[in-house]
Amino acid sequence: MMDQGIILRADLTSRRFEKEQLDRELRHKFVGGRGINAWLVFRETAAHIDPLSPENVLIFGCGPFSGTSAPCPARFNVTAKSPLTGILGDSNAGGYFGPAMKRAGIDHILIQGKADEPVYILIDDGKPAIRSARHLWGKNVRETETLIKRELGDKRIRVASIGQAGEHLVRIASVIHEERAAARTGMGAVMGSKNLKAIAVRGTREVTLYDREGFNTCARNLHKKIGASNAYEHFRKKGGSTGTYSTDKAGFLAVRNFQQTGGFEGIDNFEPLKVAARYYKANKPCFRCPIGCGKKFEVPDGPFAGEWGNKIEEGAFTPLGPVCGNANVDSIFKMNNMGNQYGIDLIEFGQAAAVAMEWYEKGIVSAEDLDGLELTWGNYEAMMHLMEKIAYREGVGELFAEGIVRAAPKFGKEAEKYVSHCKGMVMAGVDSRMLKGTSLGFATATRGADHLRALVPVEFPAFPVMTPEQADAKFGSAEVLNPVSYNKAGPLIYYQNISILPDLFELCRFLLGLGTGTKEFKYDHLAELYYFASGIKLDEPQMLTIGERVFNVERAFSCREGMGRKDDHLMGKWAREPVPNGKYKGELIDPEQWERMLDEYYRLRGWDKNGVPTIEKLTQLNLKEIADSLKQAGVYG
Ligand code: SF4
């Protein structure tokens, strides 16, 4: 039988550790990773705590396949109450840290309290210790990883750490592991608030599996199929700029802070094969990945010659490029490295820089207001200075370090209108005004505007996933294929529930296409692997119920913090202004149709008119303790 997993509780205040057996019921209800993390944060925190206080907890979680021979089992999830949004925050990253945790015998590391000086946690094959990090404080991520590995005399120790941004409690700070970023929702600031510079893990044990032979045979076959498949060629050959380029061509790219939708004049510089030829040197995949989108890169010439690294994603190309009107790709590689060394969320940073550029263009701010920075479109040098100021909270960086939603009012009432976000989190440069289901997905995603958790693939005209007959059979109407139709509540709920699953197993999302599965890796394969790993049988309806359960836990967390219907809207210019150009020119969000779609969404979700999961729904999902907590917090009135 599979071991049920261990929660390692690290109390930094008392410097004590405790191990808690993860009970089988939790596995059944939430599987692992993001699911169990979310439930633990809900259980361990009281409503309305300050996310940067010792009362917050920070949890690292891996999944049931982490460290096994399954394809792409590399993710780990970092979860806490977010200092950026004030609701549940979480973010995940790949690499080798999650597998090392699992092989060290730990499924979740729950960090509470606050150390009285900078420390790092070492977990050596399950044996935990707290070590001083005074010599590491002030160092960037790459230096921190190198120094810890040197100090411990083991290059294969896996380290997740914060840079200067996390130390300075920058609300858009990320946690980084070998250039893989758990970037969103400010988890790096929570880590910094606990005086925790890093976690280092050595894991050499074999993961316990219910049926090892069955698991390995199944995994081997999947590796073969995926490795031979053309379906993953774009990731394998072209790496991270593919999404930027194809989104532009499909007419959804938010250029210059939504002033233009697609058709970026510098887009040819982002053509993926061109980027691959100029910068990529070798594959740098995550643990047991047969796809390999990670690339070792180097800028060959020009002012940034020699700038090297091991991973760059669409989440760097888009926000640092077209969103800011920047067509200089060399500079994006440089800023990608800066962000990964300071530990800053590049999506939040790029969007903030774009907003400031529009303020500058419209005369809302001057260079004087920005410490002399001339934030004209595409001015990457000014962007670099701004990023440095944010990382150290210097000058105007002090304001931007609070996140652009909090910073905007400090620049005047007019300034707020240019910030497009949901629940305090900006989105990644996709213009969804013509995609009504995806817009609702952004508005209701549980961690804020979220391109990874908001998409309704059935409505994307450029990437068809279903025929009208299939759409009719699955969602009761072929109208869901029409991007501008508001008949999207049902499909959105389906995609929201199913696309949680990779995060519960901590598998790479690319393995499952847009989250819906691929020909080579379907949810049936997931179920098969899970059976061999755990002895637990799951079919698709059961998996969807687990996805729904986790979504409701996350939603309940927001409701306990006072969020509800008023927050399920797009904020800023994308909520008010029509699409400026292209095929969908003039398209905007109609307020009446939006409210009707929201009503339908709540009804289908089993939530009340204010968007709160009802007691009946939570009880049906076997979440009675969550319902009790909401009752106690007065959420039901
Ligand atoms: S596809 Fe890319 S992100 Fe996913 S596991 Fe492989 S290398 Fe990592």
Side-chain angles (χ1 to χ4, degrees):
M1 183 61 62
M2 176 197 198
D3 69 303
Q4 293 311 302
I6 294 287
I7 302 170
L8 175 69
R9 185 182 290 268
D11 186 333
L12 294 180
T13 307
S14 65
R15 293 181 172 244
R16 292 166 76 104
F17 292 96
E18 272 173 33
K19 284 185 182 171
E20 188 184 314
Q21 189 75 41
L22 196 62
D23 71 39
R24 194 164 175 81
E25 197 198 335
L26 273 192
R27 265 275 186 257
H28 274 286
K29 282 167 79 170
F30 305 113
V31 178
R34 172 180 159 191
I36 291 179
N37 274 14
W39 186 84
L40 286 172
V41 174
F42 193 104
R43 184 188 79 178
E44 297 281 329
T45 56
H48 310 302
I49 57 161
D50 175 355
L52 296 177
S53 72
E55 282 71 46
N56 203 359
V57 294
L58 178 71
I59 305 181
F60 286 65
C62 61
F65 302 152
S66 302
T68 69
S69 60
C72 305
R75 311 299 290 184
F76 65 99
N77 187 291
V78 191
T79 314
K81 181 175 179 181
S82 164
L84 184 69
T85 60
I87 53 177
L88 193 72
D90 82 278
S91 196
N92 65 40
Y96 291 79
F97 187 84
M101 271 179 70
K102 186 80 177 177
R103 286 170 162 238
I106 308 291
D107 278 57
H108 300 268
I109 308 167
L110 189 159
I111 300 139
Q112 63 187 50
K114 178 181 180 178
D116 56 4
E117 61 163 1
V119 296
Y120 75 90
I121 294 174
L122 169 65
I123 300 170
D124 194 350
D125 261 340
K127 193 162 165 277
I130 291 176
R131 299 174 71 115
S132 173
R134 265 185 293 191
H135 59 304
L136 302 172
W137 209 250
K139 304 280 188 222
N140 70 29
V141 167
R142 196 175 273 172
E143 291 164 342
T144 301
E145 287 183 359
T146 306
L147 286 168
I148 290 178
K149 287 177 185 198
R150 196 178 294 157
E151 179 173 315
L152 299 172
D154 186 350
K155 276 191 190 156
R156 296 175 71 88
I157 288 261
R158 303 303 177 181
V159 179
S161 65
I162 54 171
Q164 295 90 338
E167 292 176 9
H168 288 88
L169 310 185
V170 170
R171 289 179 194 267
I172 59 170
S174 48
V175 176
I176 309 272
H177 154 65
E178 297 183 12
E179 297 172 48
R180 266 80 175 171
R184 312 242 48 201
T185 68
M187 295 297 96
V190 178
M191 199 156 155
S193 75
K194 297 188 173 304
N195 268 334
L196 179 62
K197 179 68 177 172
I199 303 178
V201 181
R202 179 168 20 222
T204 61
R205 302 175 187 177
E206 203 165 42
V207 178
T208 311
L209 297 167
Y210 171 70
D211 177 349
R212 180 169 305 282
E213 204 184 317
F215 188 93
N216 286 339
T217 305
C218 181
R220 213 168 23 246
N221 290 338
L222 287 166
H223 270 273
K224 257 192 231 156
K225 269 208 301 193
I226 294 160
S229 163
N230 285 334
Y232 300 96
E233 276 305 278
H234 53 293
F235 292 123
R236 197 171 285 137
K237 280 203 177 131
K238 301 174 183 172
S241 70
T242 310
T244 307
Y245 189 75
S246 60
T247 312
D248 183 81
K249 294 296 171 197
F252 301 126
L253 194 68
V255 179
R256 281 186 288 273
N257 196 31
F258 297 92
Q259 290 191 17
Q260 190 181 319
T261 302
F264 179 50
E265 64 280 2
I267 198 65
D268 284 350
N269 296 354
F270 295 78
E271 198 285 311
L273 290 176
K274 221 190 231 178
V275 170
R278 177 166 168 77
Y279 304 99
Y280 298 154
K281 301 290 166 210
N283 283 345
K284 195 77 184 171
C286 302
F287 181 84
R288 300 249 160 99
C289 168
I291 302 171
C293 78
K295 307 289 175 200
K296 190 168 172 48
F297 65 77
E298 187 172 338
V299 178
D301 50 43
F304 307 114
E307 197 66 44
W308 65 273
N310 293 307
K311 184 86 162 86
I312 185 163
E313 299 187 356
E314 183 188 351
F317 285 112
T318 296
L320 304 175
V323 167
C324 290
N326 178 22
N328 184 310
V329 178
D330 286 8
S331 75
I332 294 175
F333 279 87
K334 170 72 181 171
M335 284 188 275
N336 174 71
N337 276 3
M338 288 175 66
N340 283 344
Q341 301 318 319
Y342 290 138
I344 284 186
D345 178 353
L346 292 173
I347 293 175
E348 286 287 340
F349 169 76
Q351 198 63 49
V355 167
M357 285 170 169
E358 191 164 5
W359 290 342
Y360 190 82
E361 180 188 53
K362 301 265 174 12
I364 292 168
V365 295
S366 64
E368 212 178 303
D369 300 317
L370 299 168
D371 297 349
L373 298 179
E374 294 188 0
L375 277 169
T376 49
W377 293 114
N379 186 347
Y380 53 81
E381 284 175 355
M383 288 169 73
M384 290 177 198
H385 286 303
L386 181 63
M387 195 193 292
E388 187 180 355
K389 283 173 177 293
I390 292 172
Y392 290 99
R393 283 187 175 267
E394 278 173 8
V396 75
E398 176 71 37
L399 294 178
F400 283 87
E402 292 294 291
I404 192 64
V405 176
R406 279 187 175 80
K410 307 282 189 322
F411 292 95
K413 194 78 195 138
E414 188 65 13
E416 289 179 64
K417 293 183 189 162
Y418 295 89
V419 186
S420 301
H421 70 98
C422 296
K423 300 183 176 71
M425 188 165 103
V426 302
M427 40 84 77
V430 179
D431 191 334
S432 70
R433 284 172 284 191
M434 65 297 274
L435 301 164
K436 306 307 181 193
T438 299
S439 290
L440 186 64
F442 278 119
T444 55
T446 51
R447 64 174 183 176
D450 196 326
H451 68 293
L452 290 173
R453 303 176 185 182
L455 305 182
V456 179
V458 74
E459 70 177 351
F460 290 5
F463 315 104
V465 295
M466 273 182 205
T467 63
E469 294 71 31
Q470 288 168 327
D472 190 35
K474 191 156 188 81
F475 299 118
S477 167
E479 196 195 323
V480 298
L481 296 172
N482 177 3
V484 298
S485 159
Y486 286 82
N487 182 14
K488 296 289 169 52
L492 172 62
I493 290 169
Y494 170 78
Y495 287 118
Q496 281 179 328
N497 290 346
I498 202 158
S499 67
I500 284 181
L501 294 171
D503 295 345
L504 310 186
F505 291 89
E506 294 303 339
L507 290 175
C508 176
R509 197 164 279 268
F510 292 162
L511 180 65
L512 287 134
L514 286 169
T516 53
T518 65
K519 195 154 62 64
E520 294 73 15
F521 196 91
K522 301 180 199 307
Y523 282 92
D524 289 350
H525 295 121
L526 195 63
E528 203 180 346
L529 278 174
Y530 192 46
Y531 172 71
F532 288 131
S534 66
I536 297 171
K537 284 193 173 158
L538 288 179
D539 56 21
E540 185 174 330
Q542 287 169 318
M543 284 200 261
L544 281 168
T545 300
I546 294 172
E548 184 184 11
R549 183 178 295 125
V550 173
F551 197 88
N552 274 271
V553 171
E554 294 174 343
R555 176 71 181 192
F557 192 100
S558 300
C559 295
R560 198 174 64 170
E561 294 298 323
M563 285 211 175
R565 186 177 192 115
K566 66 184 186 328
D567 306 290
D568 291 339
H569 293 87
L570 309 181
M571 303 295 288
K573 59 197 301 191
W574 62 340
R576 295 175 286 107
E577 295 177 10
V579 175
N581 62 294
K583 188 174 166 196
Y584 296 100
K585 186 172 175 188
E587 190 61 41
L588 42 64
I589 302 290
D590 176 78
E592 276 181 28
Q593 298 202 68
W594 178 271
E595 294 303 324
R596 277 202 293 276
M597 179 166 65
L598 197 53
D599 279 337
E600 176 68 353
Y601 177 84
Y602 290 166
R603 189 184 69 75
L604 293 174
R605 275 254 175 238
W607 297 353
D608 68 18
K609 287 274 177 206
N610 191 33
V612 180
T614 59
I615 293 171
E616 295 72 36
K617 172 48 81 176
L618 292 173
T619 307
Q620 181 200 329
L621 289 170
N622 200 4
L623 293 172
K624 195 173 165 313
E625 67 279 30
I626 300 278
D628 290 344
S629 173
L630 293 190
K631 246 194 279 179
Q632 217 175 7
V635 172
Y636 295 114

